[in-house]
Amino acid sequence: MRGVMPARINAPMSDANPLENALAWFTSAPARWRSDAEAVAEWVWVVLQGDFADNPTTAQTVTGGLISMIPLVDQLSDLRDLVANVRALREDENDPWRWVALALTLVGLFPTLGSLVKTGLKVVVAEARREVYRVGKLGRRGLRTLEGDGLWKATSGAVDRGVATLSVFFSSLPMRKALAAQRVDRVFQYLATELRELAAGLDTAKLRAACEEALATLDDMLRRLQWWGGAMLKRPLGELIDTLQWVHGRLDQGLKTVTEPLSYWLECVARRLEVEGDMQFRAMVNAKTKHDDVLPPARLSSSSEIESIRRSCPDWVTILPRRPPYPALVVPPKPPAGHFDIGPEESAAVRGVFKTFSGVVVPDVLPPGARLVRVVDPRSRDNSPHWMSESEFHTMTSKEDWRAKCAVWQSWNGDGEYVVYVVPPGDGLKVWRGRAASQQLTNAKGEVVTSDSGAGYWLTGGAEQIVVNPADLDPAFIGKRMKTGWTYADADRDDLLHPIGVPEVRNMWGVEER
């Protein structure tokens, strides 16, 4: 970073000094755009403020990310963000959230990270860092300790926004070309792998080394700016140089308190990126299709299931002329204070789900580390209300056993896969638990389907089911989908056109095709 000649800062671009060229890019941009409206100048200013702009648009964030990929310009962007960090720490060095913000900046300075990983990480970090400062301003200043689950809980919403911005960023023409050149076809999985490696090797010494190198570079640049800028800039630049020296003497203690939470946070971000990658990369191939351009469903339609059962009633379906063994609740349970509602009202978090319970249903809070299982098909979403405990899942000996005890018709869920959710650290997960109600076969109009004798077709139910509020689930704690070993739906019996995915098993979060 040494040897920059101030007299040539506005000289024509050359290959002799890349830092000078990068600085010239910043200084000459307004001149190139001078003919445009004042709004354009303001827009560019927000972009060039970087991650600390209060409310940047998606377009501004994407543009800032693209700018940061230019060699040397990305280093200037890092130094600009470092200045904001050290100024914030000078105001309150005891606020761990401000040390987290500094550490989030520093991980983007690691020399082992490629430009693609740095840029992708910075887009997510930009949202998270703004949230970190917001949380500090809302009254969490002065905290002496900070745990990883607290950091993730405070920033998970911001990470979601960052991931959404990343999707736009990676779909831009420059990024598509860059990804093609680097032969990266599954960019979210690629980023997740790199972040996991980063989290595994993260320690205070690496954060300190990155910070010291950046501080030394910034100090050198500021001293040169003192000379370039004349008397008016000497005082503010001198104060900033003093602040850099002040922060340098406090690095060990400050960074030590946030290294472990940051490592935990990176692991959570990596898992969130994997889920996003799965959502964008699901496929169905090797399927027996009737038309080349039509992909078959992974579950039976209601009419096909009725036809199949009437033709040959399977073992998991029971024909009953009278009341089922586990009748559904008629009156919803009253939720205690702070618990979500499962009643019929519009305001209920999971409206009408009480009807899937039989007998006594109780509100509960699952402790951190509790493991839930949901059986799914390739079209089912992971974040649905109905789950079971992992121990209950392991009592299911077959697909037939699961369908009968959990009362799940083929038209509701084609099965074949399952997913595990681990309750994250914190206050636990609010749930309702009780026996699954018996379910009677009905047609698409809700009319009861009966046998020739007039009896109904039933799935008996009786297994313990757990209902969650999908809004309480965090995608960072959802496991990768695995196969049940039960095949998809009942392909042999019903000639179901079922998928073999490429990749075979992928998470689905948020949207279900039904």
Side-chain angles (χ1 to χ4, degrees):
M1 300 293 284
R2 302 182 184 276
V4 180
M5 299 300 293
R8 296 183 56 205
I9 190 63
N10 290 318
M13 302 288 281
S14 70
D15 295 330
N17 195 317
L19 175 57
E20 182 178 328
N21 292 345
L23 285 167
W25 186 92
F26 276 103
T27 57
S28 62
R32 292 200 300 268
W33 291 7
R34 192 169 296 158
S35 60
D36 293 340
E38 182 179 351
V40 175
E42 293 177 357
W43 188 93
V44 175
W45 170 239
V46 173
V47 171
L48 296 183
Q49 284 185 86
D51 297 344
F52 290 86
D54 289 335
N55 294 295
T57 65
T58 298
Q60 290 164 350
T61 302
V62 170
T63 302
L66 292 172
I67 289 172
S68 70
M69 292 191 71
I70 301 173
L72 270 299
V73 173
D74 71 321
Q75 192 172 20
L76 291 174
S77 300
D78 294 332
L79 297 180
R80 172 204 56 203
D81 297 338
L82 187 62
V83 168
N85 289 137
V86 298
R87 282 176 169 167
L89 282 169
R90 191 65 185 263
E91 294 176 1
D92 186 357
E93 65 175 293
N94 294 319
D95 182 2
W97 298 94
R98 302 191 181 208
W99 285 105
V100 167
L102 173 63
L104 288 172
T105 296
L106 297 178
V107 293
L109 302 179
F110 280 19
T112 55
L113 298 180
S115 61
L116 175 61
V117 179
K118 283 186 179 181
T119 304
L121 180 60
K122 286 177 184 178
V123 172
V124 177
V125 162
E127 290 286 354
R129 193 162 47 194
R130 277 188 287 271
E131 190 67 16
V132 163
Y133 277 116
R134 189 189 70 82
V135 169
K137 291 177 181 178
L138 289 179
R140 297 194 186 183
R141 289 183 180 182
L143 294 177
R144 296 291 178 177
T145 60
L146 178 65
E147 296 182 352
D149 62 288
L151 175 58
W152 176 251
K153 185 179 294 184
T155 61
S156 59
V159 171
D160 284 341
R161 293 193 296 273
V163 171
T165 303
L166 265 184
S167 297
V168 179
F169 178 67
F170 288 132
S171 65
S172 65
L173 181 58
M175 281 309 305
R176 292 203 305 270
K177 291 181 177 179
L179 293 173
Q182 297 186 39
R183 299 181 181 274
V184 176
D185 56 350
R186 298 183 60 200
V187 64
F188 285 101
Q189 278 74 8
Y190 174 79
L191 288 178
T193 300
E194 294 292 320
L195 288 190
R196 281 213 168 90
E197 292 183 6
L198 175 62
L202 190 67
D203 57 35
T204 304
K206 289 182 179 179
L207 287 172
R208 181 187 175 90
C211 191
E212 286 181 336
E213 182 177 354
L215 289 175
T217 301
L218 184 57
D219 181 83
D220 180 69
M221 180 181 292
L222 293 176
R223 292 184 188 279
R224 292 177 183 278
L225 287 175
Q226 277 186 313
W227 182 55
W228 296 348
M232 292 185 62
L233 287 179
K234 286 187 181 298
R235 180 178 177 181
L237 289 172
E239 292 176 350
L240 182 53
I241 291 172
D242 291 341
T243 299
L244 300 184
Q245 295 172 344
W246 174 86
V247 167
H248 186 274
R250 290 160 173 77
L251 285 178
D252 279 336
Q253 185 60 36
L255 293 176
K256 183 179 179 180
T257 62
V258 299
T259 300
E260 187 174 344
L262 181 60
S263 179
Y264 179 93
W265 184 85
L266 289 170
E267 286 280 359
C268 292
V269 173
R271 182 59 191 134
R272 178 64 183 86
L273 290 171
E274 285 180 332
V275 172
E276 185 69 20
D278 283 353
M279 287 291 294
Q280 297 187 5
F281 202 75
R282 293 189 64 87
M284 300 170 68
V285 302
N286 296 340
K288 301 175 288 184
T289 61
K290 296 180 180 179
H291 303 283
D292 291 339
D293 58 345
V294 176
L295 291 175
R299 60 180 72 149
L300 289 177
S301 66
S302 176
S303 58
S304 296
E305 183 171 27
I306 292 171
E307 180 183 351
S308 174
I309 290 174
R310 279 178 164 170
R311 182 174 64 245
S312 175
C313 188
D315 295 338
W316 63 81
V317 177
T318 302
I319 300 177
L320 295 172
R322 58 183 70 88
R323 193 170 184 263
Y326 299 103
L329 291 179
V330 177
V331 178
K334 184 178 180 180
H339 216 82
F340 65 94
D341 193 2
I342 57 174
E345 293 79 13
E346 291 274 353
S347 59
V350 189
R351 185 181 179 187
V353 172
F354 75 96
K355 296 178 181 178
T356 67
F357 283 104
S358 178
V360 178
V361 54
V362 296
D364 198 1
V365 179
L366 302 183
R371 297 169 65 87
L372 299 177
V373 174
R374 171 168 160 76
V375 176
V376 293
D377 66 33
R379 288 170 49 191
S380 304
R381 54 180 176 163
D382 298 329
N383 53 330
S384 280
H386 289 94
W387 296 74
M388 70 183 90
S389 67
E390 190 174 48
S391 58
E392 184 78 10
F393 173 69
H394 286 310
T395 67
M396 305 294 169
T397 59
S398 63
K399 172 174 56 183
E400 292 79 8
D401 196 31
W402 166 71
R403 288 205 179 281
K405 292 180 178 178
C406 294
V408 183
W409 294 108
Q410 286 178 282
S411 55
W412 296 353
N413 190 334
D415 78 81
E417 302 170 5
Y418 72 96
V419 65
V420 176
Y421 183 78
V422 180
V423 178
D427 300 329
L429 179 66
K430 295 182 177 69
V431 302
W432 291 90
R433 61 196 313 160
R435 292 189 179 276
S438 303
Q439 295 292 336
Q440 189 169 20
L441 183 64
T442 59
N443 60 23
K445 297 180 180 180
E447 300 166 340
V448 172
V449 177
T450 59
S451 65
D452 292 340
S453 63
Y457 295 100
W458 290 86
L459 297 176
T460 56
E464 185 190 59
Q465 72 175 12
I466 296 175
V467 165
V468 308
N469 182 357
D472 293 338
L473 299 178
D474 188 331
F477 295 88
I478 199 83
K480 293 183 178 180
R481 285 197 180 193
M482 294 173 282
K483 289 189 174 182
T484 59
W486 301 339
T487 73
Y488 290 91
D490 199 24
D492 295 333
R493 181 176 185 275
D494 299 307
D495 193 29
L496 182 74
L497 304 179
H498 64 288
I500 302 175
V502 178
E504 289 188 340
V505 180
R506 297 289 169 211
N507 288 94
M508 284 286 286
W509 193 267
V511 178
E512 183 174 8
E513 301 174 20
R514 286 195 60 175

